[in-house]
Amino acid sequence: MSLDMYAEEILDHYRNPKNFGKLDKPDVKVRELNPLCGDQYEFQVKVSDGKITDVKFNGDGCAISTASASILSEFIKGKKISELKKMEQKDLLNLLGIEVSPARIKCAMLAFNIVKKVVEESGKKK
Amino acid sequence: MNAEKIRRDFPIFKRRINGRPLVFLDSASTSQKPVQVLDAMEDFYRNSNSNVHRPVYKISEEATEMYESAREKVARFVGARDHHVIFTNNCTEAINLVARGWAQRNVKRGESIVSSVMEHHSNIVPWQSLKGATLRFADVGDSGLLGDLPMDKKTRLVSLTHVSNVLGTVNDVKKIAKEAHENGALFMMDGAQSVPHMKVDVGKIGCDFLAFSGHKMLGPTGIGALVVRKDVADDMDPLLFGSGMIREVTLKGTTFADAPMKFETGTPNISGAVGLSAAIDYLEKVGMRNIERHGRSLTEIAMRSLGGMDKMKIYGPRKNRSDVLSFSLGDAHSHDVATILDDRGIAVRSGHHCAQPLMRRFGVGSMTRASFYLYNTVDEVRQLAEGLGESARVLKV
Ligand SMILES: Cc1ncc(COP(=O)(O)O)c(C=O)c1O
């Protein structure tokens, strides 16, 4: 049932997203839009020693896309870029801990696609 | 008019979603199809399938007759006497035919086309794709009514929707057509949301062009029409070139057929036209006035019952509106609201409704929209209200 997507933890991230906002002088920033619904986020990170040392995101979207962005922001903070390069879609779905209905997969994947680009760009920095 | 009885003609209403009956409140996007339309199309394929206009044998004669009588039916349905009916894929293609075929040739650099902020992307992007023409957009007031048209003597075309697919606003198109003509401009009307829901008469309104889609009016996808004044059609280029639209082809060059054939290139959507024709029969049997009244009455009931909900914002005019109802439930995202409604088998539209400039105008990224048609019932409106109550609880708005 699609209602199960709105688990307590998802709604917490939606109502109080982690790492929400902007960074002072980010090393990398990536903005993406879901053209189907207009939802969009920007991720900003600081990179040092091959690690994501800080992250903030901002933008606007539904509960699923916001929760996914919030959870991913927590996940990547402090992680090695080499490690994050191995991240796959199913890892995000595990982190979300809910069954995302096919109609809403795109919502969950918006932040994932941004983070993939962030990781790639970050890899090019020192 | 008896919606319960009408529903029995629509096989899809036998579907159950999560164990509940389908409550389909997205007809503004595409309507459901009655068995009469499905049967007519199947009958064509089973008994008369062949190409039109070319072969001389019996079944092709039948196919040609079915296709051309569909054209006549559409013409009658929209009051086209001094107009041609050109079959297209959909409303969007019809508008593109006006843009590429007429405006590209007739709107010079420095001249303008007037549209509005309440338009569907399909009545904005084709004009943006033109070279030379200046685009001007009428604004929309907070109450959802169309503002003044930025028109002057250099305006060559006014292209506006009859009914907003988001706000339900019914524009005073007769007045707009008159104003356009007084300024020496033509009037193109996007009838995607009006032709299925009310009696539209291009002669009485004064449309030079009318575009609409069959799939929003009980017909199949892949068939729509551009209705164009005959003398205006003489001044239009086709969108596509090839067979079907020619008079004579030599290796040096080609002369074209007369309208409407000139604008229908290649084998047309014959079964689509047959389906559209059956759809018009169905609509006329129920009666366009009844359909309009039924839709408006459901909308009023919905406005009253949703309007009483906490943190509910309804967009569009309070009065004289068509049967689409867009709203925001607190700060909840429309996708989340729609997902929770879907859990109960209720289908509503979420997102930007192909009207991003209008979303921006109202300062939102998206809205939730319920839209009603002849097969919807008061009980379904009640279920919508209940489902929205649950959405508010689940999403903690
Ligand atoms: C007002 C309006 N214009 C144009 C269209 C485009 O119709 P189609 O997608 O069938 O071409 C729509 C469809 O939603 C509409 O509501």
Side-chain angles (χ1 to χ4, degrees), chain A residues 44-113:
Chain A
Q44 306 182 338
V45 299
K46 282 201 180 282
V47 186
S48 132
D49 289 339
K51 269 192 191 162
I52 306 269
T53 52
D54 202 1
V55 53
K56 291 265 188 220
F57 79 97
N58 58 80
D60 194 18
C62 61
I64 308 300
S65 70
T66 309
S68 156
S70 172
I71 288 170
L72 276 171
S73 74
E74 283 189 306
F75 181 74
I76 64 174
K77 199 164 171 174
K79 287 237 168 36
K80 283 205 188 102
I81 288 162
S82 57
E83 211 177 302
L84 290 172
K85 278 190 171 158
K86 293 186 211 129
M87 189 173 67
E88 293 177 29
Q89 284 197 9
K90 65 173 190 315
D91 299 324
L92 168 63
L93 295 176
N94 281 338
L95 285 172
L96 283 169
I98 51 168
E99 194 153 333
V100 183
S101 74
R104 302 298 300 277
I105 273 288
K106 281 210 171 67
C107 307
M109 286 307 150
L110 177 57
F112 178 83
N113 293 333

Side-chain angles (χ1 to χ4, degrees), chain B residues 28 90-92 120 122 161 163 165 190 192-193 213 215-216:
Chain B
N90 48 37
C91 180
T92 305
H120 189 277
S122 289
T161 194
V163 169
N165 64 315
D190 177 349
Q193 296 296 341
S213 282
H215 68 91
K216 293 184 200 281

Side-chain angles (χ1 to χ4, degrees), chain B residues 85-211:
Chain B
V85 170
I86 299 163
F87 281 128
T88 60
N89 253 315
N90 48 37
C91 180
T92 305
E93 188 190 319
I95 299 174
N96 273 274
L97 179 52
V98 180
R100 300 268 130 222
W102 182 84
Q104 191 68 83
R105 193 206 260 212
N106 289 288
V107 186
K108 306 275 171 334
R109 192 166 292 281
E111 295 181 329
S112 70
I113 295 173
V114 167
S115 186
S116 86
V117 175
M118 74 164 71
E119 302 308 312
H120 189 277
H121 293 164
S122 289
N123 196 19
I124 294 177
V125 186
W127 313 119
Q128 288 175 333
S129 79
L130 295 175
K131 293 186 189 73
T134 307
L135 282 188
R136 293 189 215 283
F137 295 96
D139 201 0
V140 175
D142 290 338
S143 64
L145 296 178
L146 190 65
D148 291 337
L149 300 179
M151 221 188 291
D152 58 31
K153 293 287 169 216
K154 292 208 160 155
T155 305
R156 297 299 316 276
L157 181 71
V158 175
S159 186
L160 292 171
T161 194
H162 189 180
V163 169
S164 160
N165 64 315
V166 175
L167 303 169
T169 313
V170 183
N171 289 318
D172 188 349
V173 284
K174 211 168 156 177
K175 184 165 151 255
I176 291 167
K178 188 159 171 272
E179 205 182 328
H181 293 150
E182 281 167 3
N183 275 281
L186 297 189
F187 177 49
M188 137 87 217
M189 187 169 94
D190 177 349
Q193 296 296 341
S194 61
V195 172
H197 296 261
M198 62 182 78
K199 183 70 196 148
V200 169
D201 188 308
V202 287
K204 284 193 187 138
I205 294 170
C207 300
D208 302 294
F209 305 97
L210 164 71

Side-chain angles (χ1 to χ4, degrees), chain A residues 1-3 5-6 8 11 14-15 35-37 39 61-64 104, chain B residues 18 331-333 335-336 339-340 342-343 352 356 365 390 394-397:
Chain A
M1 297 275 276
S2 37
L3 262 193
M5 284 195 286
Y6 297 96
E8 207 54 45
L11 286 169
Y14 173 44
R15 289 299 175 199
L36 295 177
C37 61
D39 285 7
C62 61
I64 308 300
R104 302 298 300 277
Chain B
N18 295 330
D331 64 348
H333 195 284
H335 278 359
D336 296 319
T339 294
I340 290 167
D342 177 53
D343 217 53
H352 55 54
Q356 283 180 316
E390 182 178 36
V394 172
L395 298 169
K396 303 188 162 81
V397 293

Side-chain angles (χ1 to χ4, degrees), chain B residues 72 74-85 201-203 227:
Chain B
E72 282 164 29
V74 170
R76 207 166 24 74
F77 187 62
V78 297
R81 278 169 296 270
D82 308 323
H83 295 70
H84 290 298
V85 170
D201 188 308
V202 287
V227 180

Side-chain angles (χ1 to χ4, degrees), chain B residues 255-266:
Chain B
T255 51
F256 300 124
D258 292 332
M261 300 288 290
K262 177 180 170 187
F263 303 101
E264 293 179 7
T265 311

